[in-house]
Amino acid sequence: MIMTVKVERMKSWMTGLIMAVMTCISVIAAERPSYAALSGKAERAYAYGEWASASALYGLMIDERPTDTRLYGRAIVSASMRDKPLEEVELLRRAISAHVAFDSVFASVRRESFAIGQSDLYENFLKEVKAAEPWLKRTVNGYLLDYYVYRRNARGMISYADELLKAVPDNERFLYILAQGYLLDGRNEEAVGVWKRILGVNSESYDALLFLGNYYADISSSEEPESISRARGYLSRAQALKPTPYVAERIRNL
């Protein structure tokens, strides 16, 4: 009899506990705004530069849709506007944990930072990621190089092309960017050296032949006959690869 009473009391207690838990869950669900409501609030906060609110709201939205790359882009930009580099890196880690490709996150941050006229946020984010995640260093260097090419930032082009060429010294694209960087920086002689490196990798590089031919043609004079000879040699090889009236005219005028 006593045992029966105890069992009944236990059942009653468990039933009460379950009902209490279900009530709490119902209350929490009722209080949590819908995704649409969160999205509307986040869009407004982001548009008006309320970065702390935007960060919090996009964080809640990521909880519900952890593979939406646009959310990570906006959340990272919002964190960057608040000067929260650790938060930016943590958001990237969160994306990777959700099996989101990191290059998709980079693209989203680039798009969002450019859209608000703050492209330096993208640059800073990449540098923060490189420092925090060494395994991404080479990949991030490639993104930074592309960014500096877009910005026509000579020093950045030279620095990151040099860095990447340490691993792949015969990469024509990196060599080409390095040469362009030297030209933008007014370091013509160093550019000439790189164009010659390119010819060492690919003897039929039209761009390298044309640049070197024009370079020696421009500096040629009666006092430097070797420059005329070099110009004619490079331009003739370029003309053989891709005949144009311009190159033909330059050769005739030498």
Side-chain angles (χ1 to χ4, degrees):
M1 182 65 177
I2 294 173
M3 182 62 69
T4 302
V5 171
K6 287 184 176 180
V7 170
E8 290 300 323
R9 286 179 178 174
M10 180 64 72
K11 286 181 178 179
S12 177
W13 180 80
M14 288 296 294
T15 300
L17 178 61
I18 291 169
M19 290 180 67
V21 171
M22 290 180 68
T23 299
C24 288
I25 292 172
S26 298
V27 170
I28 292 170
E31 290 180 349
R32 186 182 180 91
S34 67
Y35 185 85
L38 283 173
S39 180
K41 291 179 179 178
E43 294 288 328
R44 285 192 294 274
Y46 193 86
Y48 287 103
E50 297 169 356
W51 304 116
S53 296
S55 290
L57 290 163
Y58 282 119
L60 292 173
M61 292 168 70
I62 288 171
D63 286 342
E64 295 197 28
R65 300 186 182 178
T67 60
D68 189 333
T69 55
R70 179 174 176 271
L71 300 180
Y72 288 104
R74 291 208 157 190
I76 289 168
V77 166
S78 298
S80 184
M81 290 298 290
R82 293 162 46 235
D83 194 23
K84 299 291 183 181
L86 295 179
E87 190 174 316
E88 295 172 56
V89 173
E90 190 54 42
L91 282 162
L92 175 65
R93 290 170 178 161
R94 190 174 174 184
I96 293 172
S97 296
H99 305 291
V100 176
F102 57 77
D103 55 348
S104 297
V105 178
F106 294 162
S108 183
V109 175
R110 185 183 191 278
R111 184 169 54 251
E112 296 297 339
S113 62
F114 276 52
I116 65 170
Q118 299 283 349
S119 62
D120 59 311
L121 300 182
Y122 172 67
E123 176 188 6
N124 293 337
F125 170 64
L126 290 175
K127 290 180 176 179
E128 289 154 7
V129 169
K130 185 171 75 168
E133 301 291 346
W135 64 280
L136 281 173
K137 179 180 178 180
R138 184 174 172 185
T139 299
V140 172
N141 281 344
Y143 280 96
L144 283 165
L145 179 62
D146 289 342
Y147 172 77
Y148 291 127
V149 170
Y150 171 78
R151 301 288 300 189
R152 294 185 65 78
N153 181 315
R155 300 294 175 84
M157 291 165 67
I158 293 167
S159 176
Y160 283 91
D162 258 337
E163 184 67 26
L164 287 162
L165 283 164
K166 291 176 183 176
V168 281
D170 292 340
N171 186 289
E172 278 189 70
R173 178 173 177 269
F174 298 155
L175 286 168
Y176 178 86
I177 292 171
L178 180 60
Q180 291 296 322
Y182 281 135
L183 286 176
L184 286 172
D185 206 36
R187 297 158 67 178
N188 293 343
E189 290 187 8
E190 287 164 286
V192 167
V194 178
W195 286 116
K196 288 180 178 179
R197 280 178 64 185
I198 293 172
L199 286 180
V201 174
N202 176 12
S203 62
E204 296 187 348
S205 170
Y206 181 81
D207 289 338
L209 290 168
L210 189 61
F211 172 85
L212 289 168
N214 283 323
Y215 174 78
Y216 284 113
D218 289 342
I219 67 170
S220 64
S221 67
S222 58
E223 297 177 0
E224 295 186 34
E226 70 279 3
S227 294
I228 296 175
S229 176
R230 288 175 183 174
R232 186 176 287 112
Y234 287 123
L235 289 173
S236 296
R237 289 165 64 186
Q239 184 72 349
L241 290 171
K242 191 186 300 183
T244 67
Y246 166 77
V247 176
E249 182 68 17
R250 289 231 74 177
I251 293 172
R252 279 195 299 271
N253 291 333
L254 287 171

